[in-house]
Amino acid sequence: MHLFLTGNPGVGKTTCIQKVLAILRRKIPSLLIKGFYTKECREGSQRIGFDLVSLNRAAVAAPRTEILARVGQKKPKLGKYSVNVDNVRNVVARSLSLNRIRSQSKALIIIDEVGKMEILCDGFFPAVEKLLDITQLPSIILGTIPISKKIPQVDALKAREDTLILMMTKSNRDELATVLASVIFEALNSVSETSAKELLSSYIVDVD
């Protein structure tokens, strides 16, 4: 089952992911959590870039942080940021490993986010697609995508029949984190994909 959050920039998609992880870590300390999330890097009040936080061990292990982008002139660039595609490639190899995930009966895979910076690494989206193709219950993918409709890879992800796109807003973000954690917890144990879809129906985006 694949669940992807979308919403306006700054609405709290990564914060929601972190809340879901915190709840599930308490409930299932031994759960294998793979993947990564993206966080802002700041100096004082100034945002100077973004970091990738790898989740490549059991839930109790400390994450690993690497640079995704910094303000600079080195190519490739997105806006004012220089993107470190080598670090993206390293995170893909380490945190989205198909062999490690296949060997587990249950896993939660975080992909935050499938965005323009990450896609600058030519191996990133193919690795995501392979992961989407092979992951089935009781393993679950939870990710984020930008709300923009001008990214072909994101449009391809939205069009998948095995993927639910959930809209996050400032008014629903707190309850959505709780609902997501509950749905994922149940799905890891017994709930069918149909039941999960019913529980999340009020948040699902119609992508037609």
Side-chain angles (χ1 to χ4, degrees):
M1 182 167 65
H2 315 323
L3 306 171
F4 280 84
L5 304 175
T6 192
N8 291 324
V11 75
K13 297 185 289 295
T14 296
T15 299
C16 180
I17 295 277
Q18 292 171 326
K19 288 180 178 179
V20 170
L21 287 175
I23 294 170
L24 292 173
R25 281 174 171 140
R26 290 195 299 269
K27 289 187 173 183
I28 319 174
S30 62
L31 176 66
L32 177 68
I33 298 178
K34 295 279 288 181
F36 71 94
Y37 65 85
T38 305
K39 68 175 185 178
E40 290 185 347
C41 181
R42 290 183 173 271
E43 285 186 354
S45 61
Q46 292 277 52
R47 185 171 72 187
I48 61 169
F50 299 89
D51 288 334
L52 296 166
V53 181
S54 297
L55 302 162
N56 61 328
R57 301 178 183 175
V60 295
R64 177 174 174 175
T65 300
E66 296 185 69
I67 293 171
L68 170 60
R70 290 291 186 271
V71 174
Q73 298 304 316
K74 186 177 178 180
K75 294 182 179 180
K77 289 193 63 178
L78 190 64
K80 64 181 179 180
Y81 298 105
S82 295
V83 179
N84 191 320
V85 292
D86 288 335
N87 281 353
V88 176
R89 192 173 293 110
N90 291 339
V91 167
V92 167
R94 182 173 59 250
S95 298
L96 302 181
S97 167
L98 295 177
N99 291 336
R100 179 73 188 278
I101 293 166
R102 278 179 177 144
S103 69
Q104 301 296 316
S105 59
K106 296 180 183 179
L108 175 62
I109 303 127
I110 304 298
I111 307 176
D112 173 28
E113 72 175 344
V114 181
K116 290 182 178 179
M117 286 187 178
E118 293 82 1
I119 291 169
L120 285 175
C121 173
D122 55 10
F124 173 76
F125 192 69
V128 169
E129 286 189 304
K130 287 180 182 178
L131 200 55
L132 292 169
D133 288 340
I134 67 106
T135 302
Q136 298 179 343
L137 286 173
S139 290
I140 294 171
I141 292 176
L142 174 62
T144 65
I145 56 174
I147 201 167
S148 171
K149 296 181 179 180
K150 298 179 180 179
I151 307 173
Q153 294 90 338
V154 172
D155 291 340
L157 190 155
K158 289 179 180 178
R160 293 179 65 105
E161 293 184 358
D162 58 0
T163 300
L164 300 181
I165 309 300
L166 310 175
M167 179 60 71
M168 171 174 282
T169 65
K170 289 183 177 180
S171 62
N172 75 9
R173 60 188 178 186
D174 291 330
E175 69 180 45
L176 182 53
T178 303
V179 172
L180 267 175
S182 178
V183 168
I184 291 171
F185 177 78
E186 296 297 335
L188 286 167
N189 291 285
S190 61
V191 171
S192 69
E193 192 163 336
T194 299
S195 298
K197 188 173 182 178
E198 290 173 356
L199 292 168
L200 294 167
S201 60
S202 63
Y203 307 101
I204 295 174
V205 177
D206 184 358
V207 296
D208 294 334

